[in-house]
Amino acid sequence: MAMVQSFLLTRSTPKLAGIMYSKTALLSSSAPLLHRHCFHSCRSSWQRRTAQIHHRFSTSSSPVKFRVVTKGDPSNKDKWRRIARIAYYIRIPVLTLSIYGIGYQQGIMDFAREKEIMEAKLLQTVLAGVGCTSPEDLEMVLIAHEGEDWRIVLSRLREKLQIFHSDNVERYKEHHHRMVMLRDVAKVGEKIIKVARSYVKSKLAEVVRDAVNQLPPEVQEDENRLYEALEQIEEVALWTKATRHMEGDTWKFVLIPSVIPNAFVSEILPHRIFITTSMIETFIKSDDELALTLGHEVSHLILGHSSNRNSFEVFFRTAEILLLSLDPTEGLLSLAFMTFLASLRNAIGAEFSRNDEREADELGIKLCAMACFDTKSASRVFHRMHLADVESGKQVASNRAGLLSFFDSHPPSEERYHSLLEESGKENRDKYEDTTCASLKTIFRDAMKQDTRNE
């Protein structure tokens, strides 16, 4: 208001002169003839005065200064204006994160109230991701539990084959074939899970020991401060979470009837390993190759790749919304922004995914070796995948166009095969002959050494 007043004051003097001139003209034109000379004199006087005023304002080099009293500091107004602008831009990302948080909390509440129903819905969602959607396919999904006695399971199935009529024999033979397939997955998977549990426990103990040694003595002596300090260490948090993933409920092995070759784990359905029939029938020809495949998938869970990927998606999509809210064209550039940001997100996500795959290969072959499988033979599964890629033309297309490989979520199968083949020279069952792969000969040799010491 003070600024408006100041502006009006600087413009009022010339305007006032004009108004006075108009009134003089009006009076002179309507006055009686007897007094016309007097009015002419007055008009001439006002004209001279008006001309002087106009001349002063037109020739003055500096504007007329008026003292204006303003309330408050202008810098405070600028500060609040900037704060309002920032709030305007971040309101949509904040609302997005709030909605995400509400949905997350609601999901936890629903899962706690109806755990079995929610698990069934999540399982259907996971199965739909590999093309298992029809009621017939869902009925053919087989699930095995850790520690199951397969001799009893298969013997009962054989009894059913003998009871049913000849028109159902073919169907139950196919079911028996898939049950044998599931048995192999469960037996190999149990060995991988066993060594994975042992590995994460040892790694957690190792990183905790190293972290404690680096803390000041006063923190080591205070138990509460020690726990608080350890919780802040990223590596300790990683292996603590990995231990929680591996321990707990009994593991389940899910065999999915699908033409899509795939094997995976999911954090939303913990303690489960999923594998499709096509994966086994197309690429896996031995227990060694199956062990490497399952070890690779369990490694994703141990290293927290799913959680990291989810955090990346939330962060990047929030950033997308923020950038779109800054669009100065009020929507004209939004389509271009969306296309560019989606491509950027896919490219960055693909790079992270390829690194995750390499890390899972490295830990997976280690678990395979700890479980006493032949890692050199196991690496052939990736050579078989490479041949399938070449036959389908996927590998050729990736080699021709670097842009396509730039968006690939997995490294080339040939690269992975050679890397694992080289790694098998260091990670093999001979390395763990004295620990997890102790043979009868090793046990007998150690017993003889103990007897010699006692003598």
Side-chain angles (χ1 to χ4, degrees), residues 242-260:
T243 304
R244 292 172 182 167
H245 281 316
M246 298 307 303
E247 300 293 340
D249 297 338
T250 301
W251 277 74
K252 298 176 183 178
F253 307 94
V254 184
L255 182 66
I256 308 171
S258 174
V259 296
I260 301 175

Side-chain angles (χ1 to χ4, degrees), residues 94-145:
V94 169
L95 287 174
T96 303
L97 291 176
S98 300
I99 294 172
Y100 174 82
I102 294 172
Y104 182 78
Q105 292 178 357
Q106 186 64 40
I108 293 176
M109 293 170 59
D110 293 341
F111 193 86
R113 284 196 301 262
E114 302 174 337
K115 182 177 179 180
E116 294 182 359
I117 297 177
M118 292 300 296
E119 281 189 352
K121 291 181 179 180
L122 291 173
L123 180 60
Q124 289 184 355
T125 303
V126 171
L127 296 178
V130 289
C132 183
T133 56
S134 66
E136 294 78 10
D137 290 340
L138 294 174
E139 186 180 353
M140 295 171 64
V141 174
L142 300 177
I143 301 177
H145 295 76

Side-chain angles (χ1 to χ4, degrees), residues 319-328 331 333-335 337-338 341:
E320 286 182 15
I321 295 173
L322 176 60
L323 292 176
L324 289 175
S325 66
L326 298 175
D327 183 5
L333 292 179
S334 293
L335 183 60
F337 271 141
M338 291 173 62
L341 292 175

Side-chain angles (χ1 to χ4, degrees), residues 55-56 111 128 151 155 220 224 228 299 350 383 431:
H55 177 73
R56 180 185 300 175
F111 193 86
R151 290 177 299 179
S155 63
Q220 297 182 23
N224 293 330
E228 291 178 359
S299 298
H383 180 62
K431 178 180 178 180

Side-chain angles (χ1 to χ4, degrees), residues 61-78:
S61 59
S62 60
V64 179
K65 297 183 180 180
F66 297 92
R67 183 182 178 187
V68 180
V69 179
T70 59
K71 296 182 179 180
D73 187 359
S75 62
N76 289 334
K77 295 182 179 181
D78 294 338

Side-chain angles (χ1 to χ4, degrees), residues 377-420:
S377 175
S379 59
R380 294 173 186 166
V381 65
F382 287 96
H383 180 62
R384 203 170 289 116
M385 291 180 185
H386 165 65
L387 295 178
D389 290 341
V390 172
E391 184 177 354
S392 64
K394 179 181 177 181
Q395 192 67 48
V396 175
S398 297
N399 289 338
R400 284 180 180 176
L403 186 60
L404 293 179
S405 61
F406 187 69
F407 288 97
D408 285 345
S409 60
H410 289 63
S413 299
E414 184 179 17
E415 173 193 321
R416 299 173 71 183
Y417 166 65
H418 289 296
S419 177
L420 289 169

